[in-house]
Amino acid sequence: MEDQVTSVSIIEELPSDLILCILKSDCLSVSDFACLETTCTTFGGIREQLHPTLKFRSLVDLAVFRLCESHPIYSCLNESRKKTLLLRMGNNWKQALNFLRSVEESSDSVQSKSGSGYIQVTAGISFTIVLKDYSVYISGVRYLGDHLLKDHLKYHKFTLISFDQQPLTSSYVDNIVSVSTMYNHAAFITQSGKVFTCGNNSSGCCGHTTGGYSLKPRLVEGALKGIPCKQVAIGNKFTVFLTREGRVYTCGRNSHGQLGHGDMVDRPTPMIVESLVDCLVVQVSVGLAFTLALTSDGNLYSFGSGEDWCLGHRVEKNELRPRLVKFFKRRNIHILRVSAGAVHVVALDSSGLVYTWGRGEVSQLCNIEYIDDFKSRETTPYLVNSLKSQIAIQVIN
């Protein structure tokens, strides 16, 4: 007991700036901060010189604010958006930090029990792919994977997909860490950023010069040779690649301008989208025949088929090049995540609000005023009012 009292006395004698340095070392969770603030009066006092322009309830609060300041999402927001975020979080910096971390960590993968990798499940029209501990399994398809299954009973079993790749060094294996698929082809990203694709390549969507079916995952090279990717979005017979440097490449069918090159000419191999070269793209998403590109400054660009108003521009007009969705820009709204369905879109902003637009014939837009109208449409982004009281951290179609 005496030792505990002595320890607390020593902490109380430490300078506030030193305690602050320890608190913002980014090794504590939000719940840890809350417990510290609740149970230890040592962190209650705060010296004004540590932050003269803002008032904080405690030293813990100041430390959490500093962590928010250094967070990559928060640092990209302008002052108005920062104030809106804090207001939505009830002027609670701990809740704001929890939101920022949750958005950053949200994904379609979960940590496996073995701890050696992640589990991700994704599906195409007639097949399912499972990524578990860096191994990829497939079930329920004839023309995707490393062989043709002759026994139809095997369609109901998961089969391991093999990848022809040499280790980068004798001690390093370039594991598969992400899978993307939809419709009739799939893409696999390795730890080093290489992309392998397989499936129906009749439109060039797999990025290989040869057409037909690519029955075994093959490395995508061409313009992407030596350029690591962090995300691949799969559309209907077209593919969008996002590199780690924030550049966008596309290939495959271009019937509506969904490749973003200013024309409607198909591309058999990846080609960079020149209109987005000056932007730092952080996420891509695709619908049936349209593409969305989200930049680091929270701006959203759309291109391709404008049918059903899924581009968000108030007109059913195809866009052959990326076009800014002005609805968000005009309202000073910073988009953090976007997800495209076949003919509708869901977006998440920097304060946890959700927007939808496009076709809503089965109420996927959540625009309850049209709940009885199965042909409802939203020509521009619509704020989902039923979720305004909630703080969303991810949107997935």
Side-chain angles (χ1 to χ4, degrees):
M1 182 67 180
E2 184 178 348
D3 290 341
Q4 293 178 354
V5 173
T6 303
S7 298
V8 172
S9 300
I10 292 174
I11 293 176
E12 289 177 341
E13 291 175 1
L14 291 175
S16 297
D17 52 352
L18 181 57
I19 296 176
L20 179 62
C21 183
I22 297 171
L23 291 177
K24 64 186 188 72
S25 61
D26 208 15
C27 60
L28 298 175
S29 68
V30 174
S31 58
D32 290 332
F33 284 120
C35 289
L36 279 172
E37 195 169 41
T38 302
T39 62
C40 191
T41 57
T42 303
F43 304 102
I46 176 172
R47 294 182 180 177
E48 291 297 329
Q49 62 265 32
L50 293 178
H51 201 293
T53 59
L54 293 176
K55 291 184 178 180
F56 297 93
R57 291 189 291 264
S58 68
L59 199 58
V60 169
D61 226 25
L62 174 57
V64 174
F65 163 71
R66 290 284 176 83
L67 288 172
C68 286
E69 273 192 319
S70 62
H71 195 280
I73 293 178
Y74 188 84
S75 61
C76 288
L77 303 179
N78 60 32
E79 291 305 315
S80 174
R81 292 164 179 167
K82 289 176 180 178
K83 290 179 181 178
T84 301
L85 167 61
L86 185 60
L87 186 62
R88 275 276 289 165
M89 302 301 148
N91 290 309
N92 187 320
W93 285 108
K94 289 183 286 297
Q95 188 169 341
L97 179 62
N98 189 46
F99 169 73
L100 295 170
R101 286 178 171 176
S102 297
V103 171
E104 186 179 38
E105 295 168 2
S106 63
S107 116
D108 57 357
S109 300
V110 296
Q111 183 78 41
S112 69
K113 289 184 178 180
S114 65
S116 59
Y118 290 86
I119 297 176
Q120 181 187 354
V121 180
T122 185
I125 289 179
S126 59
F127 60 90
T128 302
I129 296 178
V130 174
L131 170 64
K132 183 179 184 296
D133 295 341
Y134 309 123
S135 295
V136 183
Y137 303 85
I138 189 168
S139 174
V141 68
R142 294 173 182 265
Y143 303 111
L144 199 63
D146 58 356
H147 51 73
L148 283 171
L149 297 176
K150 296 180 180 180
D151 183 357
H152 72 280
L153 294 177
K154 292 182 180 179
Y155 298 159
H156 303 291
K157 299 179 180 180
F158 278 99
T159 304
L160 179 68
I161 297 179
S162 62
F163 292 78
D164 286 340
Q165 55 170 317
Q166 295 296 322
L168 299 182
T169 69
S170 59
S171 62
Y172 177 78
V173 176
D174 201 9
N175 292 311
I176 304 297
V177 295
S178 178
V179 179
S180 302
T181 190
M182 186 63 69
Y183 306 105
N184 291 308
H185 70 293
F188 312 87
I189 304 178
T190 70
Q191 282 180 319
S192 69
K194 291 181 178 179
V195 179
F196 289 78
T197 59
C198 64
N200 186 345
N201 191 41
S202 58
S203 64
C205 57
C206 288
H208 313 306
T209 54
T210 55
Y213 280 92
S214 178
L215 304 179
K216 194 169 189 176
R218 290 175 54 192
L219 179 64
V220 178
E221 294 188 290
L224 280 174
K225 187 174 183 178
I227 301 177
C229 292
K230 69 175 184 178
Q231 186 197 352
V232 179
I234 301 291
N236 184 20
K237 298 186 177 181
F238 74 103
T239 306
V240 181
F241 305 84
L242 176 61
T243 72
R244 291 179 179 176
E245 294 183 346
R247 301 289 178 263
V248 178
Y249 291 74
T250 59
C251 67
R253 176 179 288 181
N254 196 28
S255 55
H256 297 79
Q258 60 265 47
L259 300 189
H261 303 306
D263 55 38
M264 291 189 291
V265 179
D266 295 351
R267 301 294 194 286
T269 57
M271 177 177 174
I272 193 168
V273 179
E274 295 288 351
S275 299
L276 293 173
V277 167
D278 294 331
C279 302
L280 177 60
V281 178
V282 294
Q283 188 203 349
V284 290
S285 187
V286 300
L288 191 65
F290 67 96
T291 303
L292 303 167
L294 179 63
T295 61
S296 61
D297 55 4
N299 287 324
L300 181 64
Y301 294 83
S302 61
F303 48 102
S305 173
E307 187 176 359
D308 293 309
W309 298 278
C310 51
L311 297 185
H313 302 309
R314 203 184 292 276
V315 291
E316 286 189 292
K317 175 179 174 291
N318 294 346
E319 296 293 340
L320 306 185
R321 287 189 174 87
R323 179 181 172 186
L324 178 67
V325 180
K326 294 181 179 179
F327 176 92
F328 297 118
K329 184 73 172 180
R330 289 168 177 166
R331 291 163 177 77
N332 195 32
I333 296 172
H334 184 112
I335 297 300
L336 294 180
R337 295 287 186 271
V338 63
S339 180
V343 288
H344 81 289
V345 180
V346 185
L348 171 72
D349 78 1
S350 59
S351 61
L353 293 171
V354 177
Y355 300 81
T356 62
W357 64 94
R359 180 166 42 170
E361 60 184 7
V362 289
S363 301
Q364 63 265 51
L365 302 184
C366 297
N367 47 353
I368 56 176
E369 51 264 49
Y370 301 111
I371 196 68
D372 296 323
D373 180 5
F374 289 97
K375 294 184 180 180
S376 68
R377 304 283 191 274
E378 291 295 343
T379 63
T380 58
Y382 162 87
L383 176 62
V384 180
N385 289 308
S386 58
L387 290 175
K388 286 179 69 175
S389 61
Q390 306 297 319
I391 306 296
I393 60 170
Q394 178 62 294
V395 287
I396 300 177
N397 273 302

